[in-house]
Amino acid sequence: MVIAEKPSVAQDIVRALTPVAGKFDKHDDHFENDGYVVTSAVGHLVEIQAPEEFDVKRGKWSFAHLPVIPPHFDLKPVDKTKSRLNAVVKQAKRKDVTAIVNACDAGREGELIFRLIEQYAGGAKPLGKPVKRLWLQSMTPQAIRDGFDSLRSEKQMQGLADAARSRSEADWLVGINGTRAMTAFNSRDGGFFLTTVGRVQTPTLAVVVEREEQIRKFVSRDYWEVHATFLAEAGEYPAKWIDPNWKKDPEDAEKKADRVWTQREAQAIADAVRGKAATVTEESKPTTQAAPGLFDLTSLQREANGRFGFSAKTTLALAQSLYERHKALTYPRTDSRHLPEDYLPVVRKTFEMLADSGMKHLAPHALTALNNSYIKPTKRVFDNAKVSDHFAIIPTTQAPSGLSEAEQKLYDLVVRRFMAVFFPSAEYQVTTRISQSVGHSFKSEGKVLVKPGWLAIYGKEVLEEGDENSKVLVAVRPGEMVRAEVVEPKGLKTRPPARYSEATLLGAMEGAGKFVEDDELREAMQEKGLGTPATRAAIIEGLINEKYMLREGREMIPTAKAFQLMTLLRGLGVEELSKPELTGEWEYKLAQMELGKLSRDAFMREIAEMTKHIVKKAKEYDRDTVPGDYATLSTPCPNCGGVVKENYRRYACAGKSGSGDDACGFSFGKTPAGRTFELAEVERFLRDKKIGPLEGFRSKAGWPFTAEIALKYSDEEKNWKLEFDFGDDRDAAETGEIVDFSAQQTLGKCPKCGSSVFEHGKNYVCSKSVPTAAQPTPSCDFKTGQVILQQPVVREQMTKLLETGKTDLLDKFVSMRTRRAFKAFLAWDAEAGKVNFEFAPSKFPPRKPAAGKTAVAAKEPAARYAPAAKKAAAKKAPAAKKAPAAKKAAVPKKPRATGAGLKPSAELAAVIGSDNVARTEVIKKLWDYIKAHGLQDTTNKRAINADAKLQPVFGKDQVTMFELAGIVGRHLS
């Protein structure tokens, strides 16, 4: 049995083995012939978890349960891929499967994916079947066949397997205990403030926060440059004043050879030189520029972000598609920028493919390389010592077709870099000219491209004189005197360091070793950095999802929550969690483990000790606040007009003096319900006394919610208090209060009655659904929320729904039942008379119906998409009931006639009538009855009051809407 990491690799293995092992039959989840069963995972199918007695459920995290250091780890299936796991395990347990080949990706993570599946398949006992390792660095059929001819033994892979498990378990121990300890610390004052930390994510965040701190603390300084234009016989040329004796100041990086720090000095230089003669000395020499090396994943992500603005996640997805689907690129999740030394023939074939491909923008350059014998063995490209689990990303010998615009852009990027590395260097003539006048030196530089070499691939040819891309200096004869025609000082300001873009952050993660002082650790991180090429995109996305960072344009900006975490780690004295040394130390020791020089037990003992240290520091911290660099707000205290200052947990009045001695007691938490205020939000909140709706709040049980918050005056406390506003107040239709829409602009026409729709409270309502001066008695009931299942519905989307019938695809709905996020359109459901969910058509076409199924069933429109969630469920229900009946041949059942249903009890029949009825129709009829008789509770809309007819059905005076389905079931037969 062969287990690959993903389905596309399993298919490649089958194609490669077919000529030597015979034809394979395709089954739902595997391929099979007389000698092999080939199947695949879809990434991680199993993950580690603490045994049940050590697992503390979310919402009950506290120091009492920490640290969690289980003696061993259990396994649990990944929810999304349970069916795939069961299919793989079923094949692995077959009696005729006598050996297993691990064909997961060649690397630490691929080893872990397989080992966890194998362990899970064995259950309490080991699976007990011999394992061999297929180690592939190329997906060509011949490379796959060669790999099967030289399978590695389980013993050879033991070091890698130990390192893979140790990394996974260590990440769990530090991540889970660190996150729970910081969450427990931050939740001491109540609520649930989720504070995630991790071995890679926290040092990455620290890099971004430290840069933002530099920007915030940066004080701009004025400086001047002196610019001149010199006149020679052949014409004019520009120059800039420099100090020829300047030396770098280690204490002040802003000091440079061409900067003057007072306007008086700059003006004096200009006045002294203006109109004076100058002598000229110059040096002209050729320089070369070699093409950059081949791409690994991180350098590809950086280049794509810089050129096209693609996020790291997008670039990885595109590269993965070009690798798996189009077979146009080699394996993308690599940290190597070199090729194996025996790969020269494959490279030549790739150039031949490109030359014959018909891709007019690439083919001529490939032909040039072939005709001029550019493709030669060179250590800059071919070096076995610098090839890790995988080699550099290059095009395959297969010409792609049907690429999307984004895929084509990325493919071109890789192909040009691949071709360029074999082309000659670009050659320039660089001229440096010094013009000296009355003791002052002015520098001019010229650079002319003589031979484009590899730059020709990027469309750069030899530049003509006067070309805007060429800095050509006019000629000056030997010994010629020139004159300073124009000399002016130019006032400038020093600028703070730039914020990280995704490209520069990836570079910082890759080169995290430069922040590490210890030589051995720096060496361990030289190739790894923070995270791996395959995980860096996910780490950045994770920090954004956890609201630690925002992506604004191309800038990555840390949030208030990020600053608060760094303040906490520094204050508690557990800064190791934010330092790249931790990753460097782990990578060094894991590398030792892979080589068999360090035992897994010794490493895990060290991790357990570190985990205990982190928890102990947080648990024993006993000061009132955490020291840090805190803000003073510009908006005054709403209670006394004093100064409002930030501390670790709160924003509090410090009195008009600002010292706190005359403080009035006004304060509110910085993280209400686990969501940290941004400074601009606090200022707005204090000024307007309300803000929202805001996302990212969490209940005490840890579930997310969206709400508005307001400052409301408490007569009892004689001060202002922060309160959540969920919009549960009774609406105007019940109170009879007249609503005035005259100052509002309508969003569109009501889909029920055609009247205008406006904002009202937390809803969008028809103007005829509330009392107005024109119509005191409401006649329409159209109303839909501004926040639905945590998804804010902005005005533009509501306008679109009213105009076209549905919104754009919205992606932040959260199911109340599963607590999972989902995507859907909001659409007007005329049949139900309300706004409903509509789901996008599946990316995967419906399977062909099995033999025996009717054509009507096969054409069921619900198989394509459901216009509303409830309808989809209702349509699937009958099919689900028919399936088991079909199997009982001994007692065939007649199909239920159209209109047939369930018989209501006498009590229920008194409300909805005695005819047989479908369960869904019962609920609809009950609701019609409840609404017609006004039985919804006025203070709690989720409660239904029983009248004389409903009392025998409910069995009590009041029920909630969630109980209805269960009650109805007891009254149907």
Side-chain angles (χ1 to χ4, degrees):
M1 179 179 177
V2 180
I3 301 177
E5 190 166 316
K6 36 196 168 299
S8 62
V9 177
Q11 289 175 341
D12 290 340
I13 289 171
V14 166
R15 288 191 199 102
L17 290 180
T18 297
V20 294
K23 187 175 181 298
F24 283 79
D25 294 325
K26 188 179 187 304
H27 299 267
D28 281 349
D29 296 300
H30 70 281
F31 301 87
E32 187 171 350
N33 68 7
D34 292 340
Y36 291 94
V37 173
V38 180
T39 187
S40 76
V42 278
H44 280 279
L45 300 184
V46 183
E47 57 192 4
I48 61 172
Q49 68 171 2
E52 184 66 32
E53 63 269 27
F54 287 89
D55 189 27
V56 182
K57 298 293 183 273
R58 182 168 21 192
K60 294 183 179 176
W61 296 356
S62 72
F63 285 122
H65 301 109
L66 295 175
V68 182
I69 303 176
H72 66 276
F73 282 90
D74 287 345
L75 302 180
K76 67 171 181 177
V78 175
D79 287 340
K80 290 182 180 177
T81 52
K82 271 185 185 175
S83 59
R84 171 64 73 166
L85 176 63
N86 293 337
V88 173
V89 169
K90 181 181 175 184
Q91 299 303 318
K93 287 184 171 179
R94 280 170 47 169
K95 289 184 179 177
D96 59 341
V97 168
T98 55
I100 299 176
V101 174
N102 171 8
C104 291
D105 291 349
R108 199 190 285 164
E109 214 56 28
E111 195 67 24
L112 182 65
I113 287 169
F114 173 82
R115 296 280 177 154
L116 294 182
I117 293 171
E118 182 198 16
Q119 182 185 337
Y120 183 84
K125 298 178 183 177
L127 200 55
K129 299 185 181 186
V131 173
K132 294 284 187 181
R133 182 63 153 108
L134 178 67
W135 195 263
L136 297 178
Q137 293 187 322
S138 171
M139 294 307 298
T140 62
Q142 190 56 51
I144 293 170
R145 288 192 286 270
D146 292 345
F148 272 95
D149 290 338
S150 55
L151 293 171
R152 299 183 181 185
S153 69
E154 192 166 13
K155 188 176 179 183
Q156 282 176 282
M157 306 311 299
Q158 193 57 51
L160 184 67
D162 284 348
R165 279 186 186 272
S166 299
R167 196 279 308 152
S168 175
E169 291 176 10
D171 272 347
W172 190 97
L173 285 169
V174 172
I176 292 292
N177 284 283
T179 294
R180 291 183 180 182
M182 300 308 137
T183 300
F185 185 91
N186 280 332
S187 305
R188 275 175 166 171
D189 291 348
F192 182 82
F193 179 19
L194 180 64
T195 312
T196 58
V197 297
R199 172 181 65 100
V200 178
Q201 76 161 48
T202 308
T204 300
L205 183 63
V207 167
V208 181
V209 168
E210 283 167 17
R211 173 64 59 85
E212 193 69 20
E213 285 174 338
Q214 289 171 10
I215 293 168
R216 289 184 182 183
K217 290 175 182 174
F218 185 84
V219 178
S220 183
R221 293 150 65 188
D222 294 331
Y223 71 93
W224 285 261
E225 292 175 351
V226 183
H227 291 254
T229 302
F230 286 93
L231 178 63
E233 288 178 15
E236 295 180 340
Y237 63 88
K240 185 162 53 166
W241 177 89
I242 61 159
D243 177 1
N245 301 316
W246 175 81
K247 287 183 180 176
K248 191 172 184 179
D249 185 346
E251 300 296 318
D252 190 349
E254 296 292 352
K255 289 186 176 177
K256 294 181 181 177
D258 58 359
R259 292 183 177 180
V260 178
W261 293 96
T262 67
Q263 186 176 10
R264 183 186 301 166
E265 186 183 355
Q267 192 66 52
I269 293 169
D271 293 344
V273 175
R274 192 181 298 113
K276 300 291 193 299
T279 59
V280 177
T281 56
E282 71 179 26
E283 182 184 11
S284 190
K285 61 181 180 182
T287 60
T288 60
Q289 182 187 357
L294 296 171
F295 282 125
D296 63 1
L297 178 58
T298 303
S299 57
L300 178 61
Q301 287 170 320
R302 292 181 67 186
E303 186 80 2
N305 181 254
R307 281 179 179 259
F308 312 127
F310 292 168
S311 71
K313 181 182 176 184
T314 298
T315 298
L316 177 55
L318 291 169
Q320 199 71 26
S321 172
L322 287 163
Y323 163 68
E324 282 186 33
R325 186 163 157 237
H326 297 288
K327 304 289 186 288
L329 293 185
T330 56
Y331 184 74
R333 295 168 184 257
T334 175
D335 60 0
S336 175
R337 302 186 70 173
H338 292 77
L339 299 176
E341 288 165 16
D342 61 356
Y343 224 66
L344 193 68
V346 179
V347 167
R348 196 166 276 117
K349 282 182 186 174
T350 307
F351 268 90
E352 288 166 0
M353 176 277 291
L354 291 168
D356 295 338
S357 66
M359 289 183 275
K360 292 178 182 177
H361 59 302
L362 302 173
H365 304 300
L367 201 58
T368 300
L370 290 167
N371 292 340
N372 291 282
S373 303
Y374 288 164
I375 305 148
K376 297 170 186 172
T378 165
K379 276 287 185 185
R380 206 167 162 263
V381 180
F382 303 98
D383 189 346
N384 286 346
K386 293 183 178 176
V387 172
S388 56
D389 304 340
H390 301 281
F391 50 73
I393 304 169
I394 62 171
T396 63
T397 54
Q398 186 167 315
S401 60
L403 301 185
S404 68
E405 184 184 351
E407 286 171 336
Q408 187 69 53
K409 280 182 176 179
L410 201 72
Y411 180 73
D412 286 358
L413 207 60
V414 174
V415 172
R416 289 182 199 273
R417 178 69 68 96
F418 167 71
M419 290 194 294
V421 83
F422 293 100
F423 268 59
S425 296
E427 294 180 18
Y428 293 91
Q429 191 71 20
V430 177
T431 302
T432 303
R433 179 179 295 169
I434 303 294
S435 307
Q436 283 191 310
S437 177
V438 292
H440 293 287
S441 299
F442 288 79
K443 184 178 180 181
S444 309
E445 286 185 313
K447 187 177 181 182
V448 178
L449 183 63
V450 179
K451 289 184 181 176
W454 64 273
L455 287 173
I457 294 169
Y458 294 87
K460 291 185 181 176
E461 300 299 334
V462 177
L463 300 168
E464 299 295 327
E465 189 170 329
D467 188 300
E468 61 178 11
N469 295 316
S470 173
K471 293 171 73 177
V472 182
L473 295 176
V474 298
V476 175
R477 288 185 296 101
E480 180 185 346
M481 297 291 285
V482 297
R483 190 172 76 248
E485 286 289 286
V486 180
V487 190
E488 295 295 343
K490 185 177 181 182
L492 299 163
K493 287 181 178 289
T494 57
R495 297 169 67 184
R499 283 197 177 106
Y500 282 104
S501 66
E502 205 150 341
T504 55
L505 181 55
L506 286 165
M509 293 174 76
E510 184 180 40
K514 70 185 176 190
F515 300 116
V516 178
E517 291 178 12
D518 187 280
D519 288 340
E520 281 190 331
L521 301 189
R522 184 162 58 246
E523 184 68 27
M525 290 181 68
Q526 203 166 26
E527 296 298 324
K528 301 289 182 184
L530 287 171
T532 66
T535 60
R536 283 173 195 143
I539 290 159
I540 291 172
E541 293 300 323
L543 288 168
I544 291 169
N545 291 339
E546 285 293 341
K547 305 294 187 287
Y548 280 125
M549 288 195 317
L550 303 172
R551 186 190 278 117
E552 285 191 6
R554 295 193 184 185
E555 290 186 331
M556 312 303 293
I557 302 174
T559 62
K561 183 179 178 182
F563 280 93
Q564 195 166 2
L565 173 60
M566 292 305 144
T567 299
L568 177 59
L569 297 179
R570 291 165 191 161
L572 296 183
V574 288
E575 283 185 273
E576 62 262 39
L577 275 176
S578 66
K579 299 292 182 188
E581 279 91 343
L582 181 61
T583 284
E585 190 176 334
W586 284 23
E587 289 299 346
Y588 175 72
K589 289 177 178 175
L590 291 171
Q592 296 290 96
M593 200 183 299
E594 286 179 22
L595 298 170
K597 295 179 181 177
L598 177 68
S599 77
R600 174 164 144 69
D601 288 345
F603 177 78
M604 293 311 299
R605 277 197 299 275
E606 286 184 32
I607 297 299
E609 288 305 312
M610 188 183 84
T611 301
K612 290 174 185 173
H613 166 73
I614 291 168
V615 172
K616 186 170 184 279
K617 283 280 194 178
K619 189 184 286 191
E620 293 178 358
Y621 190 87
D622 58 0
R623 276 172 274 171
D624 290 339
T625 187
V626 178
D629 185 11
Y630 298 117
T632 298
L633 301 188
S634 59
T635 311
C637 168
N639 198 48
C640 72
V643 178
V644 178
K645 291 187 174 182
E646 174 192 16
N647 59 42
Y648 180 69
R649 295 187 188 278
R650 306 183 73 75
Y651 288 99
C653 175
K656 293 188 178 179
S657 67
S659 64
D661 296 336
D662 53 343
C664 69
F666 168 75
S667 76
F668 60 91
K670 285 167 66 174
T671 55
R675 183 194 184 279
T676 309
F677 274 118
E678 295 296 324
L679 207 55
E681 289 177 339
V682 175
E683 299 278 15
R684 192 161 76 248
F685 180 51
L686 278 180
R687 186 184 69 239
D688 300 342
K689 307 288 192 297
K690 66 176 181 177
I691 192 170
L694 301 174
E695 302 171 61
F697 297 110
R698 287 179 182 266
S699 68
K700 287 182 180 179
W703 301 120
F705 66 91
T706 301
E708 286 190 2
I709 47 178
L711 276 177
K712 295 187 178 175
Y713 191 77
S714 166
D715 289 321
E716 185 181 333
E717 297 183 22
K718 304 292 185 223
N719 215 322
W720 294 80
K721 289 177 64 180
L722 181 152
E723 292 184 7
F724 282 96
D725 188 349
F726 296 99
D728 288 338
D729 48 328
R730 296 167 67 189
D731 61 31
E734 293 175 15
T735 62
E737 185 182 336
I738 297 295
V739 179
D740 181 11
F741 291 122
S742 60
Q744 282 196 45
Q745 186 176 350
T746 179
L747 289 96
K749 298 296 181 186
C750 170
K752 277 196 165 182
C753 72
S755 301
S756 294
V757 172
F758 296 99
E759 285 183 58
H760 179 58
K762 308 298 181 297
N763 298 299
Y764 298 111
V765 302
C766 172
S767 58
K768 291 189 176 178
S769 69
V770 294
T772 61
Q775 184 182 313
T777 304
S779 61
C780 181
D781 63 357
F782 175 78
K783 177 172 79 171
T784 184
Q786 292 181 8
V787 178
I788 297 174
L789 293 183
Q790 300 188 44
Q791 167 71 59
V793 183
V794 297
R795 281 184 63 94
E796 292 76 14
Q797 291 297 336
M798 193 62 210
T799 299
K800 186 164 188 175
L801 186 149
L802 296 173
E803 284 177 357
T804 67
K806 70 177 180 181
T807 63
D808 294 331
L809 187 65
L810 306 176
D811 61 0
K812 292 179 182 173
F813 295 106
V814 178
S815 164
M816 289 181 69
R817 185 174 62 83
T818 66
R819 300 293 177 182
R820 288 184 182 166
F822 66 92
K823 298 178 183 179
F825 301 95
L826 289 176
W828 174 246
D829 186 342
E831 188 178 329
K834 62 180 181 179
V835 172
N836 243 328
F837 295 115
E838 182 176 306
F839 298 97
S842 171
K843 289 187 286 186
F844 306 101
R847 288 184 179 176
K848 291 179 182 177
K853 286 191 179 178
T854 66
V856 174
K859 290 178 183 176
E860 175 58 68
R864 289 179 59 207
Y865 66 91
K870 287 187 178 179
K871 283 194 201 173
K875 287 183 178 179
K876 286 179 184 175
K881 288 181 181 177
K882 287 179 188 177
K887 290 180 182 176
K888 296 181 183 178
V891 190
K893 282 190 177 180
K894 292 180 182 178
R896 187 178 284 154
T898 306
L902 300 166
K903 185 170 180 60
S905 67
E907 295 84 358
L908 185 58
V911 181
I912 65 167
S914 56
D915 293 343
N916 284 11
V917 66
R919 187 185 296 265
T920 50
E921 193 62 26
V922 175
I923 298 291
K924 188 174 184 303
K925 287 189 173 187
L926 265 180
W927 271 110
D928 288 345
Y929 181 86
I930 290 162
K931 286 180 178 178
H933 292 80
L935 298 176
Q936 256 183 299
D937 193 83
T938 54
T939 57
N940 178 7
K941 290 293 186 67
R942 295 173 180 176
I944 299 152
N945 299 318
D947 63 1
K949 284 188 175 182
L950 284 178
Q951 179 74 36
V953 178
F954 293 169
K956 50 186 174 180
D957 293 335
Q958 190 183 72
V959 299
T960 69
M961 62 173 67
F962 306 113
E963 294 178 86
L964 273 185
I967 291 169
V968 163
R970 296 197 292 270
H971 287 272
L972 295 171
S973 58

